Amino acid sequence: MSAQIPAVRSTEQLREKWMKPEVITGSEILLRSLVLEGVECVFGYPGGAVLYIYDALYGFKDFHHLLTRHEQGAIHAADGYARASGKVGVCIATSGPGATNTVTGIATAFMDSVPLVVITGNVVSSLIGTDAFQEADITGITMPITKHSYLVRSVEELPRVIHEAFHIANTGRKGPVLIDIPKDVSADKTLFEPVQSINLRGYNPKVVPNHHQLEKVAAAIKEAERPVILAGGGVVYSGGHEELLEFVTRTEIPITTTLLGLGAFPSGNPLWMGMPGMHGTYTANQAIQNSDLLINIGARFDDRVTGRLDGFAPHAKVVHIDIDPAEIGKNVKTEIPVVGDVKTVLELLNPLVGRSDKADAWRSQISQWMADKPYKYKDSDTELKPQWVIELLNDTTKGEAIVTTDVGQHQMWAAQYYKFNQPRSWITSGGLGTMGFGFPSAIGAQMAHPDRLVISINGDGGMQMCAQELAICAINNIPVKVVVINNQVLGMVRQWQELIYENRYSHIDLAGSPDFVKLAEAYGVKGLRASNKEEAKQAWKEAMETPGPVLVEFVVSKEENVYPMVTQGSTIDQMLMGDCE
Amino acid sequence: MTTTMTSHTIAVLVNDQPGVLQRVSGLFGRRGFNIESITVGQSEEEGLSRMVIVTQGDDKTLEQIEKQLYKLIDVIKVVNLSSKPMVARELALIKVKSEPAERPEIMGVVETFRAAVVDIGTNSMIVQVVGDTEKIDAMIELLHPYGIRELSRTGVTAMIRGNA
C-alpha cells in the first residue's frame, strides 16, 4: 500500500512534554489530555461553540485531526477507528446541529459496544437553557444512547472528566461517552495538572469470574451430548480470540459466531459452522435448535440471532459469559451465568475443560449438515451476481483485508461469503443497522491501520448517505477501496416486500442515483465500473494496483435475495432456503 | 422465579449530580419499567442522594431493573427494600372544604388517624397525614365527602427495619 496518511505521533516523550503543570485554557487542557490518553487521531468539524478548541488545534501536531464533510462522517470514522484498533475513537462537533448530527453515530456505537469519546461544544454557560443560537441539550438527547455523559460546568473539572470518560468508554462493557463543553469553559484558564487516579464509586466492572461457576461450565461440557458455542463481539472486544481458539481446540465443540463475532474465530477451522440467525447457515441454526448445551461467549442474544424467543434453543442448558450482568437472563433463560471479561474467563476456564467425549455423533451430524447445506446462489454468465463479487474480493485478498460494510443485502452477502480469519477485520453496524456507516468507518479503519488493505463494501443506497467523505480520502490520500454493489434498489427492503409484502414494491427504486464513477471523479477519487465478470475482474485488479483511494461500482442483478432467511416471528430452524436448497 | 406482578420498593443511592434523576427515570421509561412513585432527597452522606422507587413487575423485571440501574455510572447501590421487613412512609397534604360547622367532624377524623391540621382558612383546612400508602388512601377516602380542593402526595420513602 502506498498510504501517505500522516504519521501517528503518540510517544512517551510526547506524554512527558505535556505532563508539566501549567496555567492554560480549557481547550489546551482538552488537547493535552487527549495526547495523554494516547489519542492519535480525531475526526471533527468546527463551528462557533468549539472555536476556542479549533484555535488551540491551529498548528497542533501531536495528534492528527481529520476534517470530515459531515459530523455523521466524523463519528462513523471514529467508530471505525475504534473497532479496527481497539483504542478509543474520538470525535469533535460543535453545539446544536453539529452535536445532533452525531446522534446516529453515537447510537450505532452504543448498540455495538464501541468505545468512543464524543466531544461537543455548547453555548456559553450563561446562555444554557435560553434557547440560544445553536443550542441543543445534547447530554439530554443522548442520555439513552451513551454509556455515560458529562456537561462540564467549569474548567477545573475538565482534566478529571476527560480522564474518567476514556476510562469508562474502554473498560467493562465498552461504549460511547459524551463530553459537552460550554464555550466559556473551553476559553477559561486554570492550572492543568494531569489526573492520575480515578474515583468512580459506582463503577466497578467485574472482570474475574466466579470460580464455582466455571467448574459448573466444565461439568456441563463433560456431560453434554450436543454442545454448541455461540461467540459474539465480546470476544473481539476483550481480545480473547486466542483463548477462544484454545477453548474450541480443547473441547472440540462446534462453534458459530454472530455477525459482530465474525473474525473472532478462524473461518477455515472445521468446527466453525458460520453465522447463526436470520441470514445464518442452516447448520448453525439447526445446531442451536438441537443443542443440549449452548455456551454463549460474549454475545447478547439479539433478536436477529434468536428469532422467536419462545422457541429458541428449546432443549439447551444455557451458559452465558458476559461482562455486562444485565445481558444475562435479559432475553434467554440462563442456567449457568458467568459474569466477567471474556478473555479472563476463557483463560481461567481452559485448564478446567477437556474434549467433550459424548458429542462424537453430534460432530458427525454437524459435518453432514455443513456438507449438505452450505451457502449457495445461482451464478450467471450474463449478469453479475453480488455473491460472486464478494467471492472475487475474498479470493483476491485471501481474506486478509479489513472489510467495512454498510447495511442491507450487501452486508449479509459480505458476512456470508467473505471469510474472516482474524479479529478486528470486520467492521459493520450490527445492532442499530445504520445506513451510511460503511464508507466513513473505513476511513477510520484505514487511519488505524495505514498499511493494511481496507475495503468498504456498500450498497447504492447507503453509499449516498455519506458519499461526501470521498473528499477526505482524496485530500488525505486514504487508500480505501470503496465498493458499491449497485442493484438500483433498496435491496433488503425489496426482498422483504417480495417475500412478506406480496411483491408490493413501495418506494425502493433508486432511480436518479448519481453516476458513481463520475461522483468519485468529482471528488478526485478514481472511479471504475463493471457489469460482467470479465469487467469485474479487470476493474478490481486495476483498483488493487492503483495506489490511493478507488471506487469500484459493480452493477449487479436487481432481483437477487439473501438466503437462507428466517422471517420475523419464526424460530431459527424455520428457514426459507431459496437458492441454498 | 414467579411471573406474578407485585409491587417492589427499591432504594437507589446515587451521586448527587445534575441529570441523575433524568438518567434513572429515563431508564425506567425506555425499558418499559413502571414507576408508581419516585422520591429523591439527601442521604446520610454528603454528595449522595437516595431515591426510593416503587415499581410493579414480576421477578424477572425486578432483576432487570436492578441490573440496568447498576449500569448507570452515577448509581452507587441498589437495594430491594421490599425483600426485607421495611418501614415505608408517605406524606400527603389535603386541602379539604370545611365550613365552620363541619370543622369538629373533620377534626374528629383527623385525630382518629393521628394526622394533623396544619392550616385553617375561612372555609377550608389543610390536613397533613403521614403513614403508609394504605393509610393515606383511607384518609383521602374519608375526607372525600367533604370535598377535596387540592391534594399533594410525596410518594413513598422507605428503609429496612433494624440494623440492616
Side-chain angles (χ1 to χ4, degrees), chain A residues 140 143-144 147-149 153 168 173 200-203 324-326 328-330, chain B residues 18-19 22-23 30 45 48 60 63-64 67-68 70-76:
Chain A
M143 223 169 246
K147 187 171 171 188
H148 194 53
S149 53
R153 303 275 161 172
I168 292 168
R173 179 174 181 173
L200 288 164
R201 261 176 83 180
Y203 182 68
D324 179 358
I328 297 174
K330 188 183 82 177
Chain B
Q22 191 186 347
R23 286 183 203 280
R30 75 174 175 276
E45 195 178 326
L48 300 185
K60 185 171 182 277
E63 186 188 323
Q64 267 298 309
K67 285 174 167 176
Q68 294 292 345
Y70 267 122
K71 285 176 73 168
L72 299 179
I73 307 292
D74 281 329
V75 168
I76 312 283

Side-chain angles (χ1 to χ4, degrees), chain A residues 33-34 37-43 63-64 74-75 77-91 109 113-119 147 162-171 174-179 424 444 448:
Chain A
S33 298
L34 293 181
E37 296 296 338
V39 170
E40 301 164 343
C41 178
V42 308
F43 304 86
F63 57 72
H64 194 67
I75 190 145
D79 183 317
Y81 175 88
R83 292 190 208 222
S85 68
K87 297 174 188 163
V88 177
V90 181
C91 164
S113 308
V114 178
L116 293 186
V117 168
V118 183
I119 293 149
K147 187 171 171 188
I162 297 166
H163 197 44
E164 283 180 8
F166 274 83
H167 176 69
I168 292 168
N170 209 19
T171 53
K174 299 168 193 218
V177 178
L178 180 111
I179 307 176
R424 302 198 180 281

Side-chain angles (χ1 to χ4, degrees), chain A residues 93-105:
Chain A
T94 190
S95 67
T100 55
N101 276 346
T102 67
V103 168
T104 302

Side-chain angles (χ1 to χ4, degrees), chain A residues 235 239-247 249 264 343 346 350 423:
Chain A
V235 179
H241 53 283
E242 283 171 9
E243 289 75 10
L244 178 67
L245 180 59
E246 189 189 335
F247 181 67
T249 309
K343 183 181 168 78
L346 291 177
N350 277 336

